[in-house]
Structure formats: structure tokens, C-alpha cells
């Protein structure tokens, strides 16, 4: 029997006529998420969760995109990188970190197949054969812990099946772009099943280097990756899932372009040519990385509870070399006072262990508790070119204990609460330096949800979290001391509403939030000395709203719409940072007598004020078994300040990208052929800048048109 409140009755009245007009229209499938480390319907989870799957997800990568292709495809999520296809930087609700070093700490945690990927290189593992993407917005201080003050991006791969199944998809496009993904799954015995998936992405070099006279000198890449799983289920109580993965990347690092802004303007000027650079150094910006790892999940159901163990090991190593000034001293473009090129190499290794016990009760109270251990090492070598290379070492050990439970308070109310204790230790060594920091914190959250009806929920959540203290030592390579940032802590409150309306043809997910971050960690990058300095602001605040809508308009027409607004502000009247080198930019903030810039009142760096996304899918039946289809997807990013200080040249606004697919397919997914386009309007969007010795910037990927062939069995 359904439960109705005045709120639901008002919503029902607004949609009743549409439902009764055609009750046989297609319904949306239920969305199952694991945001709380157990399978739940999205509508029952009392936090802001957005999901991405199916054509909305796979279409993003047909043109050879990497993980940055997710940017703005979920409201409030922004992804960028000044390291090409490795070391992505994630931002949720405006919270992120602009630090470009390979040792950077991030407030957005990336979790792949239930394993946290702490280092930025590990976060860049290619996305293929993915079942579901979940974006958990807001601090996740109980089940996931430190370094999740902004939220979590969570990826779950398709797992082995006993029934034989598989798929293959090849995309061929302009710029010599190829994308192939394939997977096979099936039972090996009655109790053992396996799955293997592979990825191959490539693009030919398409950018000319007019300084050296080389045609098609850079811009290409070859990305190869594989992952596999073995699932052993000898009985109904025990299961073991063993996974392994490997990635090999050989391509081009970020392409920096000198003086592509005129002083006093953030518009791209005539110095910018997407297909041409003028590098005198950097060896055309090569990049090579390899990484691999393995993980083992054990589940043992002993009746009242289930015991879970997750063990993982990951490693990565590689290098990126870049012409940092983006040009040359002879022809520029524009004035470049001195040459600059830098190579960074990383050797990463991490081990994690999680032990968890969870209740199997169907009663009013459900709970889980556990312990977590992390041990990671990172060696970073920086070669500025004008002095010998310097290697620094980072060691990080952390452990935590946690618990969470939810209690049904009658038929309508549910209380969810969690708590976590974390101990974090970091050590840094370099020639002449030995630095250690540590902290232990208690964090957690409390949420209360109200079942407006069987298919709509109101919820409220108060959450806390912290980002562990951080050491940044890249400046040692340039003759400066390392810097340290103390722990930051966040207090957040949010209210949300989730509903499946119009006979389950319309799904609505919205939330409003407010948060305060104390001792907020920021990174002051670049400037006259091209340094990376960690600082703590007294406080940072953010407030906003998110909206996710999915609507099956008819059996043949479906649409999604997402929107997010985030108003962020630095609150520290004494905080000052270095500005752009040689006074080349137009700073709008107050400047002290030493040339340092006051940043009080500024928005957080790389925090888009607004993000929007939209998809539309339409199909026309052809006979009984096939259909013609059209699909389009669009994303928009509003006003964004690139650095801590505000400068006219280093802002972006009104940036968007769109994609399209047109084709034919069997309704059971057996075969599909489609024409596709990515960045179909060929937008030239600025994604970042370097404020060192000229007005350097870097931009998005060019337009790609292509043909896609897919089969599923």
C-alpha cells in the first residue's frame, strides 16, 4: 500500500493527466547504486548521487577522449589537467586543487572497483567496460574518510557472468583517431567465471612544429589497456573476486601555447592556431606511462553478518616532457623573455587493505563496520633543464576504523549515521630536507530521510570531513624549500528531494547545500618564480544547488538534463599570493607593497559557477527487430577563475561542447552502426594557463567525426 503526503498529492495532481493519457508508455529502469558500500535503490540513499551509464557514458569516448571527457557531464563535476592524459584534477561543488605536481593532494577521491586511487597518475586509468559511474557530492567522512572533503567519483567495472556474453566496438574518425573496446565473459566451470576486457585508443600526430619545420610533429597518442576478473563461488556463502589491470600510454603531454591572450583580454588571439606550435624545446612534448595492479575481494556470509576483505596493489611509472614557455625566443609567438622546458617523472606504488563486517538483517536496523589501511610511496624526479635533476620522495601511511548504520523510525522516517577515526602520516625526503607531518581526526555524518511516498523521498544530511596535511616539495628542484599545509576540515549541510514521477517515466534528483572549510588548503602555482606553494586560508565557503532530471517522454524519445550552481568564496583578509610573472597580466585584486595579491573574497580556483548538461535520444522502429536512432549530448561550463588571484586574462566563461550519433541498430543490441561527432562545433575552449613568463594557455581537443561499429552477444 502506497503512502501519500500532501507534498506527494500536489505532485500527483500536476502529473495525473499526463499519466492517464497514456499509462502504457515506457518506464525508466530502477537505478541501483553502491554509494554506501551496499546495493541500494538511488531513491533510498540520503545523499546527493549522480550516475552515468549506457550511451550517455560510452559516447563520450568515441573520439579518443580520456577521463577528462566526464567534465561537466554530471552537474557540479569538473575535470581538467595540465599533464595531458595523466594526472587529472577533479572538482566537485567547486572544491578541488590546481596543483599540477605529481605529488598533489586532491579533495576528490577516485575509487575504481572499490579501491581508492590516491595518486593523480593512478586516477587517470582509462575507462572501458564500465557498468556504472557514481558521483557522490559533498564530504564522505564516514565510509570513505580523509581526502574526500569534496566528494567521490566511483567507477564499477562489469563483472564476470556465468552465461557467455561479450561486446566489441570500434570507432574510426578524423585525425587518424581509432578507438576499440572489447570484452568477453562466461563460466569456466560451475563455480568459476571469468571476464576480460581490452582497450586500444590512438590518434596520429596532427600538430605541426613550425619552428623546427616538422609536419605532424605532436598531438597523437597510443593508449593500450586491459583488465580481467575471475569470480569463484564454491557455495552460497563464499565468493572470491580477483582482478588485474594494466595500462601503457605513449603520446603527447599537454600542449602549451605562448601568448594566446592579449593583455586585458581572455579571448584567444591570432597567435593561437590549433594545428601549429612553435616549440624550440621539449622534444615535441612526449609522454610515456605504464601502470598496473591487482585486487582481491573476499565475501563470506556467515548468517547474521557478511565478512568482506578487499586487498589491492597498484604501481605506475613514467615521464612527461614539455616546452613550458610554449614557443621560442626568435619568433615567439609574442615576447618570450627566456626559454623554459621541464621533465617530470614519477614512480608510484600503493597498497590498501579494507576489512568490513555488515549486517544481513531485513529488520529496522542495518549496520556495517570496518578498518582500512593504506601505504603509498612516490618518487618524483624534476629536471628543469638548467640545473641537474632533483628527486624527492613521499611516503604516506594511513589507517582508519569506521562504522555506519541506518534505523527505520516507523514506516516513513529513516535515520542514517556514520563515524570514522583516521590517522595519517606523511614523510618527505629530498637533498637537504626531511619533513614529516601527521594528524588524526574524527569525521562522520548524520542523515534523516522521509518517505513522501513509495517513489519519492525528502532527506537532510549534516556531514564533516578532513583533508590530511600535505607536503609539496617540487620547488626543491628550483632551489626553494618545500611547503606544508595543515589539515583542512569541512562542515556541510544539505537538503534533497528524489522522486520517480509520472508512472516512473520522470526521475528527479535535486539538492541544495552549504559548506564551510576551515584552514582550507590552496596551492599558489606559477608566478614570477614558477613555484608551487601550499597555503592555508582561514576559511572557504560554498553554497549552491544541483538538479538531475531523466525523462522518458515517449517510448521513442528520452532526455536528460542536469544543472548545478556553486557560489564559492575565500574568506581570509590576510591571505596573499604571488601574481603573474613580470606583471604581464591584468590583476583586479588589491596588491601589497611587495607585489603580493590579496585573494579574500575571490571564488575558489577552477570552480565553475555553473555547469549544465543535456542529452536527447530518439528512435524510429524499422520492422520488428531494428530501429534508426539519433542521440545528442551537450555540456556547458560557466564563469571560472583559473588561479587564486583574479586576472582578466585568466578567466573563462560560456564554454560548451556537443556530440552527436546517428545510426541503425538491432533492438536487442546485437549490432549497431553509427556516424558520430565529438565537439561538433569545433569549440576552442581554454582549459588552463601558465602565468610564468608569458600569457601561455592550453585548450580542449579538436572536432572529430567518425564511424562506429558495435556488436553485443
Amino acid at each position: 500500500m502506497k503512502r501519500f503526503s500532501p507534498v506527494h498529492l500536489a505532485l500527483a495532481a500536476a502529473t495525473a493527466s499526463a499519466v492517464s493519457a497514456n499509462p502504457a508508455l515506457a518506464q525508466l529502469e530502477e537505478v541501483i547504486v553502491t554509494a554506501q558500500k551496499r546495493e541500494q535503490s538511488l531513491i533510498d540513499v540520503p545523499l546527493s548521487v549522480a550516475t552515468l551509464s549506457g550511451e550517455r557514458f560510452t559516447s563520450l569516448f568515441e573520439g579518443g577522449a580520456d577521463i577528462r571527457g566526464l567534465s561537466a557531464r554530471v552537474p557540479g563535476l569538473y575535470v581538467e589537467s595540465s599533464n595531458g592524459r595523466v594526472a587529472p584534477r577533479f572538482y566537485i561543488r567547486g572544491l578541488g586543487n590546481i596543483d599540477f605536481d605529481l605529488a598533489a593532494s586532491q579533495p576528490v577521491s577516485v575509487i575504481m572497483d572499490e579501491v581508492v586511487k590516491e595518486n593523480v597518475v593512478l586516477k587517470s586509468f582509462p575507462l572501458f567496460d564500465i557498468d556504472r559511474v557514481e558521483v557522490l557530492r559533498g564530504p564522505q567522512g564516514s565510509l570513505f574518510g580523509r581526502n574526500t572533503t569534496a566528494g567521490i567519483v566511483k567507477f564499477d567495472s562489469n563483472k564476470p557472468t556465468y552465461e557467455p556474453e561479450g561486446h566489441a566496438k570500434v570507432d574510426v574518425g578524423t585525425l587518424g583517431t581509432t578507438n576499440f573496446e572489447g570484452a568477453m565473459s562466461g563460466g569456466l566451470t560451475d563455480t568459476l567465471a571469468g571476464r576480460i576486457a581490452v582497450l586500444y585508443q590512438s590518434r596520429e600526430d596532427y600538430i605541426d612544429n613550425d619552428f623546427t619545420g616538422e609536419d605532424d610533429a605532436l598531438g597523437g597518442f597510443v593508449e593500450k589497456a586491459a583488465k580481467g576478473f575471475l569470480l569463484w563461488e564454491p557455495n552460497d556463502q563464499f565468493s572470491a573476486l580477483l582482478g588485474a589491470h594494466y595500462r601503457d600510454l605513449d603520446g603527447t603531454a599537454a600542449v602549451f601555447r605562448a601568448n594566446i591572450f592579449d593583455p586585458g583580454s581572455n579571448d584567444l588571439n591570432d597567435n593561437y592556431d590549433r594545428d601549429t606550435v612553435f616549440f624550440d624545446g621539449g622534444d615535441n612534448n612526449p609522454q610515456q606511462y605504464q601502470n598496473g595492479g591487482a585486487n582481491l575481494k573476499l565475501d563470506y556470509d556467515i548468517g547474521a553478518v557478511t565478512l568482506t576483505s578487499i586487498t589491492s596493489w597498484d604501481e605506475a611509472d613514467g615521464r612527461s616532457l614539455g616546452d613550458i614557455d610554449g614557443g621560442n625566443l626568435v619568433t615567439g609567438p609574442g615576447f618570450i623573455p627566456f626559454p623554459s622546458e621541464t621533465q617530470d617523472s614519477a614512480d608510484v606504488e600503493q597498497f590498501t587493505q579494507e576489512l568490513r563486517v555488515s549486517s544481513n538483517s531485513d529488520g529496522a536496523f542495518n549496520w556495517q563496520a570496518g578498518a582500512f589501511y593504506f601505504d603509498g610511496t612516490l618518487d618524483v624526479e624534476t629536471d628543469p633543464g638548467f640545473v641537474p635533476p632533483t628527486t624527492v620522495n613521499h611516503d604516506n601511511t594511513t589507517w582508519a576504523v569506521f562504522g555506519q548504520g541506518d534505523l527505520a523510525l516507523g514506516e516513513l522516517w529513516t535515520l542514517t549515521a556514520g563515524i570514522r577515526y583516521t590517522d595519517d602520516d606523511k614523510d618527505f625526503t629530498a637533498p637537504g630536507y626531511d619533513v614529516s607531518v601527521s594528524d588524526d581526526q574524527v569525521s562522520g555524518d548524520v542523515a534523516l530521510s522521509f518517505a513522501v511516498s513509495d517513489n519519492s523521498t525528502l532527506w537532510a544530511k549534516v556531514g564533516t570531513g578532513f583533508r590530511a596535511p600535505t607536503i609539496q616539495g617540487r620547488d626543491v628542484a628550483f632551489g626553494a624549500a618545500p611547503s606544508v599545509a595543515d589539515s583542512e576540515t569541512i562542515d556541510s549541510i544539505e537538503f534533497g528531494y528524489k522522486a520517480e514521477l509520472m508512472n516512473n517515466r520522470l526521475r528527479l534528483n535535486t539538492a541544495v547545500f552549504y559548506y564551510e572549510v576551515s584552514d582550507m588548503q590552496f596551492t599558489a602555482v606559477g608566478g614570477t618564480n614558477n613555484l608551487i606553494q601550499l597555503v592555508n586560508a582561514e576559511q572557504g565557503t560554498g553554497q549552491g544547488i544541483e538538479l538531475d532530471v531523466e525523462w522518458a517522454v515517449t517510448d521513442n524519445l528520452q532526455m536528460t538534463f542536469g544543472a548545478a550552481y556553486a557560489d564559492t568564496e575565500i574568506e581570509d583578509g590576510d591571505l596573499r599570493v604571488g601574481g603573474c610573472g613580470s606583471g604581464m597580466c591584468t590583476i583586479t585584486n588589491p596588491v601589497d607593497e611587495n607585489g603580493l595579491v590579496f585573494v579574500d573574497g575571490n571564488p575558489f580556483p577552477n570552480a565553475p559557477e555553473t555547469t549544465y548538461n543535456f542529452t536527447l535520444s530518439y528512435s524510429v522502429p524499422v520492422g520488428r527487430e531494428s530501429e534508426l536512432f539519433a542521440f545528442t549530448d551537450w555540456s556547458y561550463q560557466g564563469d571560472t577563475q583559473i588561479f587564486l588571484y583574479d586576472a582578466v586574462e585568466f578567466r573563462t566563461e560560456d564554454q560548451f561542447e556537443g556530440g552527436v550519433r546517428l545510426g541503425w541498430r538491432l533492438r536487442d543490441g546485437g549490432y549497431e552502426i553509427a556516424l558520430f561527432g565529438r565537439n561538433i562545433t569545433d569549440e576552442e575552449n581554454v582549459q588552463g594557463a601558465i602565468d610564468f613568463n608569458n600569457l601561455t594557455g592550453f585548450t580542449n581537443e579538436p572536432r572529430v567525426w567518425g564511424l562506429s561499429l558495435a556488436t553485443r552477444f
Side-chain angles (χ1 to χ4, degrees):
M1 179 177 177
K2 292 188 175 181
R3 302 180 297 271
F4 293 95
S5 72
V7 175
H8 182 263
L9 290 173
L11 291 170
T15 59
S17 60
V19 174
S20 60
N22 194 347
L25 288 173
Q27 297 180 342
L28 298 172
E29 293 184 0
E30 182 182 18
V31 175
I32 301 297
V33 298
T34 55
Q36 297 188 126
K37 296 192 175 182
R38 55 194 173 99
E39 290 191 349
Q40 294 175 281
S41 175
L42 176 64
I43 203 169
D44 294 330
V45 179
L47 58 93
S48 182
V49 183
T51 62
L52 196 62
S53 61
E55 191 172 32
R56 291 176 56 207
F57 173 77
T58 58
S59 63
L60 301 177
F61 306 99
E62 289 179 322
D66 57 271
I67 200 168
R68 292 171 294 173
L70 296 175
S71 186
R73 302 295 173 172
V74 168
L77 175 66
Y78 177 51
V79 191
E80 52 87 22
S81 174
S82 57
N83 285 288
R85 297 174 71 88
V86 298
R89 299 187 284 256
F90 292 81
Y91 306 76
I92 295 177
R93 291 181 172 174
L95 284 173
N97 186 2
I98 62 174
D99 191 339
F100 59 82
D101 188 55
L102 298 172
S105 164
Q106 300 289 342
V108 176
S109 185
V110 172
I111 296 176
M112 295 185 174
D113 294 318
E114 301 188 70
V115 175
V116 60
K117 306 295 184 177
E118 184 65 24
N119 183 265
V120 290
V121 174
L122 300 181
K123 293 180 180 184
S124 69
F125 192 83
L127 303 179
F128 61 103
D129 200 32
I130 297 293
D131 175 44
R132 178 180 56 244
V133 181
E134 299 175 20
V135 179
L136 285 56
R137 295 176 287 221
Q140 307 295 316
S142 59
L143 291 179
F144 299 97
R146 60 95 190 236
N147 298 352
T148 64
T149 48
I152 288 172
V153 183
K154 189 172 179 291
F155 303 96
D156 290 304
S157 299
N158 290 310
K159 298 306 188 296
T161 58
Y162 286 94
E163 289 295 321
E165 68 167 42
H167 68 266
K169 185 173 185 290
V170 60
D171 314 308
V172 180
T174 54
L175 303 179
T177 302
T178 301
N179 185 78
F180 173 78
E181 176 185 333
M184 293 188 65
S185 180
L188 305 176
T189 69
D190 290 343
T191 60
L192 183 66
R195 187 179 189 94
I196 187 169
V198 296
L199 174 76
Y200 177 88
Q201 288 180 308
S202 68
R203 174 173 296 159
E204 297 176 358
D205 290 327
Y206 68 95
I207 302 174
D208 300 334
N209 188 342
D210 272 13
F211 181 80
T212 62
E214 298 171 84
D215 293 334
D216 299 328
L218 67 157
F221 58 84
V222 175
E223 179 95 78
K224 294 175 284 188
K227 58 185 174 182
F229 296 93
L230 284 175
L231 175 63
W232 183 44
E233 297 176 306
N235 52 52
D236 292 338
Q237 289 75 44
F238 178 78
S239 69
L241 179 66
L242 175 65
H245 54 273
Y246 179 75
R247 179 249 195 120
D248 187 306
L249 168 66
D250 187 353
T252 303
V255 180
F256 308 117
R257 302 169 185 272
N259 292 307
I260 58 175
F261 314 110
D262 292 326
S265 172
N266 65 344
D267 293 329
L268 293 171
N269 60 25
D270 291 340
N271 290 331
Y272 177 76
D273 182 346
R274 176 169 259 158
D275 300 325
T276 307
V277 294
F278 304 87
F279 292 168
D280 62 347
D283 193 27
N284 293 321
N285 291 26
Q287 181 176 78
Q288 294 91 29
Y289 269 90
Q290 296 81 37
N291 74 275
N295 51 280
L296 175 64
K297 180 180 181 181
L298 306 175
D299 282 309
Y300 185 33
D301 183 345
I302 59 174
V305 299
T306 295
L307 306 177
T308 300
S309 169
I310 302 174
T311 309
S312 78
W313 168 82
D314 280 277
E315 63 83 27
D317 63 87
R319 71 176 188 116
S320 296
L321 175 63
D323 188 314
I324 305 302
D325 59 80
N328 65 88
L329 304 187
V330 180
T331 63
F335 175 63
I336 300 175
F338 53 88
S340 175
E341 70 174 38
T342 302
Q343 176 172 284
D344 287 310
S345 304
D347 189 348
V348 184
E349 189 168 348
Q350 75 164 45
F351 170 83
T352 70
Q353 175 64 57
E354 180 171 325
L355 297 172
R356 194 166 70 237
V357 56
S358 55
S359 65
N360 292 329
S361 171
D362 292 328
F365 181 60
N366 291 279
W367 57 270
Q368 57 182 307
F372 174 77
Y373 176 79
F374 170 90
D375 182 58
T377 62
L378 168 66
D379 294 322
V380 179
E381 182 187 83
T382 299
D383 184 358
F386 57 90
V387 294
T390 299
T391 299
V392 302
N393 173 262
H394 295 261
D395 288 308
N396 181 201
T397 302
T398 185
W399 62 271
V401 291
F402 61 89
Q404 187 198 58
D406 57 70
L407 176 65
L409 306 175
E411 293 187 358
L412 301 179
W413 297 90
T414 302
L415 177 67
T416 303
I419 191 170
R420 188 182 188 100
Y421 171 80
T422 303
D423 183 282
D424 190 271
D425 296 281
K426 290 187 175 75
D427 297 298
F428 169 86
T429 56
Y433 297 98
D434 191 347
V435 182
S436 296
V437 295
S438 63
D439 193 13
D440 59 285
Q441 296 260 359
V442 175
S443 58
D445 41 57
V446 177
L448 185 64
S449 58
F450 173 66
V452 179
S453 73
D454 279 352
N455 51 15
S456 60
T457 303
L458 288 166
W459 58 271
K461 177 188 173 186
V462 176
T464 64
F466 88 105
R467 181 147 59 116
T470 303
I471 307 170
Q472 178 48 267
R474 189 176 190 274
D475 292 348
V476 172
F478 299 87
S483 58
V484 174
D486 296 331
S487 295
E488 69 177 20
T489 58
I490 185 171
D491 297 301
S492 169
I493 183 170
E494 50 192 299
F495 302 90
Y497 175 69
K498 300 179 182 181
E500 294 175 349
L501 308 171
M502 300 174 62
N503 198 29
N504 291 340
R505 291 192 290 112
L506 177 67
R507 180 176 293 123
L508 177 67
N509 182 3
T510 186
V512 295
F513 62 87
Y514 174 80
Y515 61 79
E516 294 180 352
V517 185
S518 300
D519 298 319
M520 188 169 182
Q521 295 183 18
F522 284 115
T523 307
V525 302
T528 302
N529 298 316
N530 196 29
L531 299 180
I532 299 178
Q533 291 289 306
L534 299 179
V535 297
N536 284 104
E538 182 178 342
Q539 182 170 274
T541 61
Q543 57 190 332
I545 186 170
E546 297 141 353
L547 173 68
D548 298 282
V549 177
E550 187 175 0
W551 184 19
V553 184
T554 70
D555 283 349
N556 305 107
L557 178 64
Q558 295 187 354
M559 64 162 289
T560 66
F561 173 75
Y565 169 77
D567 176 22
T568 62
E569 183 177 351
I570 300 170
E571 297 181 358
D572 189 333
D574 296 324
L575 182 60
R576 288 159 285 183
V577 301
C580 51
S582 305
M584 61 190 176
C585 67
T586 310
I587 296 176
T588 63
N589 297 128
V591 180
D592 71 7
E593 64 277 8
N594 298 315
L596 297 178
V597 185
F598 290 89
V599 297
D600 182 49
N602 283 355
F604 302 162
N606 272 346
E609 186 176 52
T610 55
T611 55
Y612 299 99
N613 59 80
F614 171 79
T615 70
L616 191 67
S617 178
Y618 182 69
S619 61
V620 177
V622 178
R624 294 184 177 182
E625 298 182 352
S626 64
E627 62 187 12
L628 299 174
F629 67 89
F631 173 83
T632 187
D633 63 287
W634 294 85
S635 65
Y636 170 90
Q637 174 189 331
D639 294 351
T640 307
Q641 180 178 298
I642 295 176
F643 297 114
L644 276 169
Y645 62 87
D646 184 25
V648 174
E649 298 82 357
F650 300 137
R651 307 173 188 155
T652 65
E653 67 268 332
D654 300 329
Q655 298 194 149
F656 65 91
E657 279 194 20
V660 68
R661 306 185 78 239
L662 302 169
W664 168 92
R665 63 189 168 210
L666 292 177
R667 292 184 181 179
D668 63 2
Y671 294 98
E672 176 186 280
I673 180 170
L675 298 173
F676 71 86
R678 302 306 308 166
N679 188 15
I680 57 176
T681 56
D682 204 23
E683 298 302 308
E684 296 174 336
N685 294 328
V686 175
Q687 295 190 318
I690 299 177
D691 62 349
F692 180 26
N693 68 358
N694 69 85
L695 293 171
T696 298
F698 50 96
T699 60
N700 62 332
E701 296 293 307
R703 173 170 53 202
V704 174
W705 293 105
L707 175 68
S708 174
L709 301 173
T711 182
R712 183 176 298 274
F713 54 90

